[in-house]
Amino acid sequence: MGSEPKLSVLFTSEEIAATVSKLAAEIRQDYLTKHPILIGVLKGSFMFMADLIRLLDFPLEVEFIRLSSYGGGRESSGKIKVVQGLRSEVRGRDVLVIEDIVDTGLTISFLLDYLRKKKPASLKLCALTDKPSRRQTPVTIDYRGLTVPDKFIVGYGLDWDEGFRNLPDICILEGED
Ligand code: IMP
């Protein structure tokens, strides 16, 4: 290993918790009677999903999907595939995708197209963080949390080469942008 990476806190765990509460309130209003399927995109969304659903006091199902993405580097290849698929039938269901971050938008666009083909009753996107400065394809984020600058961020589920997911804050990994 080289020298210790330098981290600086971008959003504290308190700020993240307030954002998750805000998103949960918005989602509750729209899905209270719909028995939606929430689909988390692995691995980055696991922590957000766990905190979010504990604030949703109505019937729902939880699924996860795993897509191939970055590997160890930062650039999205744009070549995305489903590595681990869904167990539930989404046809005719109200589906809400739960993402950690929308960066170029390539990953989530792929996933939304993939799910749309399965004919859900509705399909919406909730993203904890949004890095709009790097967007390569337009994405509608129905429930948007925190806007992040053009920096590489880690923590609260987000990784750099599988590290730092366990940080309670969201931090900028200095020198990686
Ligand atoms: P996109 O296809 O460029 O939008 O990238 C989506 C995926 O790339 C996310 O689900 C993350 O796994 C990863 N990613 C993008 N930006 C960051 C970042 O700043 N930190 C950690 N992971 C990131």
Side-chain angles (χ1 to χ4, degrees):
M1 291 291 275
S3 57
E4 283 293 299
K6 194 172 166 315
L7 298 172
S8 55
V9 175
L10 180 63
F11 301 115
T12 63
S13 55
E14 289 80 13
E15 288 170 303
I16 297 167
T19 301
V20 176
S21 295
K22 183 203 83 160
L23 292 170
E26 292 172 18
I27 291 167
R28 183 180 192 279
Q29 221 168 29
D30 296 348
Y31 288 92
L32 193 54
T33 59
K34 291 194 167 165
H35 201 140
I37 305 183
L38 272 57
I39 302 179
V41 187
L42 289 173
K43 299 178 193 174
S45 71
F46 77 97
M47 209 178 275
F48 175 38
M49 177 73 102
D51 286 344
L52 180 69
I53 61 171
R54 275 180 281 187
L55 300 176
L56 299 178
D57 58 345
F58 55 85
L60 56 82
E61 284 171 44
V62 174
E63 274 284 343
F64 285 100
I65 194 163
R66 188 151 174 210
L67 307 171
S68 59
S69 64
Y70 277 26
R74 152 161 199 179
E75 290 307 316
S76 190
S77 65
K79 290 192 195 120
I80 297 138
K81 60 177 197 233
V82 176
V83 177
Q84 184 187 317
L86 301 171
R87 297 278 168 93
S88 299
E89 176 71 72
V90 302
R91 178 182 285 268
R93 299 293 301 273
D94 291 297
V95 172
L96 177 60
V97 176
I98 308 295
E99 247 301 24
D100 52 355
I101 185 164
V102 179
D103 184 7
T104 64
L106 296 172
T107 307
I108 202 64
S109 296
F110 167 87
L111 178 59
L112 293 172
D113 285 348
Y114 172 88
L115 292 172
R116 212 170 279 123
K117 289 190 190 121
K118 296 185 181 293
K119 306 256 186 292
S122 69
L123 181 61
K124 286 189 177 184
L125 171 64
C126 171
L128 177 65
T129 65
D130 180 18
K131 205 192 284 180
S133 54
R134 285 180 29 96
R135 202 72 95 248
Q136 288 182 27
T137 185
V139 176
T140 301
I141 303 177
D142 302 282
Y143 307 93
R144 180 199 312 264
L146 300 155
T147 302
V148 303
D150 186 6
K151 299 279 179 189
F152 199 84
I153 58 169
V154 294
Y156 196 72
L158 288 151
D159 76 307
W160 167 253
D161 205 9
E162 296 304 323
F164 308 110
R165 288 195 201 274
N166 51 324
L167 297 176
D169 302 322
I170 291 177
C171 300
I172 292 172
L173 187 63
E174 301 290 355
E176 294 297 345
D177 56 316

